[in-house]
Amino acid sequence: MPSLILEPLNTQHFIMDRDDRKRNKNMLSLEDTQQWSQSLERLLESKYGLATFRNFLKSEYSDENIEFWLTCEDYKKIRSSFRMSSRAKKIYEQFIKAESPKEINIDYHTREQIKRNVKTPTVHCFDDAQKIVYGLMERDSYPRFLRSDVYRTLLENLAADATKG
C-alpha cells in the first residue's frame, strides 16, 4: 500500500502538479475529493476516499462500522461453502456477538437472526446488519467526516494547488 493511504492526515502527499496528474491518474484530484461530499457511496467507491474515511474513523475510535461493512463486502465474494461457513463464524465472533471486540450497534432481533443464519450461512446472512451499519455511517460518521479538519484541509490544499496550476 502506498504511504499516502496510511497517512491521509498529511495532505502534502496529495498535492501534485499538472504533469504529475497526467503521468499518474491514480493520484487524488480536487474534483475526486469534492465528489466525496455527494454521497457516502461516492466516498467509499474512491480508493483514497475510503482510506481517508477509515483513518478518520480510527482517529475517533469508531472504525468498527466501516470495518464490518468492508468485511461483509469481501464475504459476499466467497464462493466456497466451507470458506463461507468459516468466515461467517469469524465475522459473528468479531462484530455481531454481544461483547465482541468490534461489536457493531444493531438491534437484538437482527443480532439473533444473524446468530441463526451463521449456522447455515449464505452470501446474504449479514445483509440486514450491513444495511443498518451503512445507515448509521451515512447519518452519523459521514457528516462528521465532511465537517472534519481532515477533509476540509485536504480540500483547501488541493484547491490551492489547483490555482497554482
Side-chain angles (χ1 to χ4, degrees), residues 50 69-81 83-84 87 91 122-124 126-127 130:
L50 173 59
W69 189 84
L70 290 167
T71 299
C72 288
E73 290 297 291
D74 286 342
Y75 172 80
K76 291 176 186 178
K77 297 172 188 169
I78 297 172
R79 295 295 164 237
S80 155
S81 59
R83 277 195 64 224
M84 187 173 284
R87 191 65 186 266
I91 294 169
T122 69
V123 72
H124 302 289
F126 297 105
D127 286 359
Q130 195 178 14

Side-chain angles (χ1 to χ4, degrees), residues 4-161:
L4 82 107
I5 288 178
L6 299 176
E7 304 172 14
L9 301 178
N10 183 349
T11 56
Q12 292 305 314
H13 288 287
F14 293 126
I15 309 295
M16 65 201 88
D17 63 26
R18 267 196 195 133
D19 292 336
D20 289 336
R21 284 191 195 101
K22 287 176 188 169
R23 281 192 300 271
N24 190 349
K25 294 187 186 222
N26 290 329
M27 297 300 285
L28 184 62
S29 72
L30 175 60
E31 297 77 23
D32 293 337
T33 308
Q34 288 169 330
Q35 287 189 6
W36 298 350
S37 67
Q38 291 178 5
S39 70
L40 177 58
E41 184 178 355
R42 277 277 172 92
L43 175 66
L44 298 179
E45 286 171 352
S46 162
K47 174 172 76 169
Y48 298 117
L50 173 59
T52 306
F53 187 55
R54 283 177 83 174
N55 281 312
F56 166 75
L57 293 174
K58 283 178 188 175
S59 76
E60 291 198 330
Y61 304 99
S62 65
D63 60 327
E64 66 281 345
N65 286 339
I66 190 67
E67 295 304 326
F68 172 73
W69 189 84
L70 290 167
T71 299
C72 288
E73 290 297 291
D74 286 342
Y75 172 80
K76 291 176 186 178
K77 297 172 188 169
I78 297 172
R79 295 295 164 237
S80 155
S81 59
F82 175 78
R83 277 195 64 224
M84 187 173 284
S85 179
S86 170
R87 191 65 186 266
K89 288 175 182 140
K90 282 183 182 174
I91 294 169
Y92 177 80
E93 291 293 322
Q94 188 174 17
F95 295 101
I96 306 298
K97 188 177 176 183
E99 307 297 320
S100 59
K102 293 186 174 189
E103 183 180 354
I104 57 170
N105 185 10
I106 56 174
D107 60 275
Y108 176 81
H109 173 74
T110 304
R111 194 175 308 279
E112 289 300 306
Q113 183 64 46
I114 290 171
K115 189 176 182 178
R116 289 187 294 275
N117 290 348
V118 167
K119 291 176 182 162
T120 53
T122 69
V123 72
H124 302 289
C125 72
F126 297 105
D127 286 359
D128 290 343
Q130 195 178 14
K131 285 177 191 152
I132 291 168
V133 161
Y134 189 90
L136 290 170
M137 289 191 299
E138 197 169 40
R139 288 186 307 277
D140 183 42
S141 309
Y142 175 63
R144 270 198 334 272
F145 170 74
L146 294 178
R147 293 189 304 267
S148 73
D149 288 342
V150 171
Y151 182 62
R152 289 174 181 245
T153 302
L154 181 57
L155 280 176
E156 288 169 10
N157 288 342
L158 289 169
D161 182 58

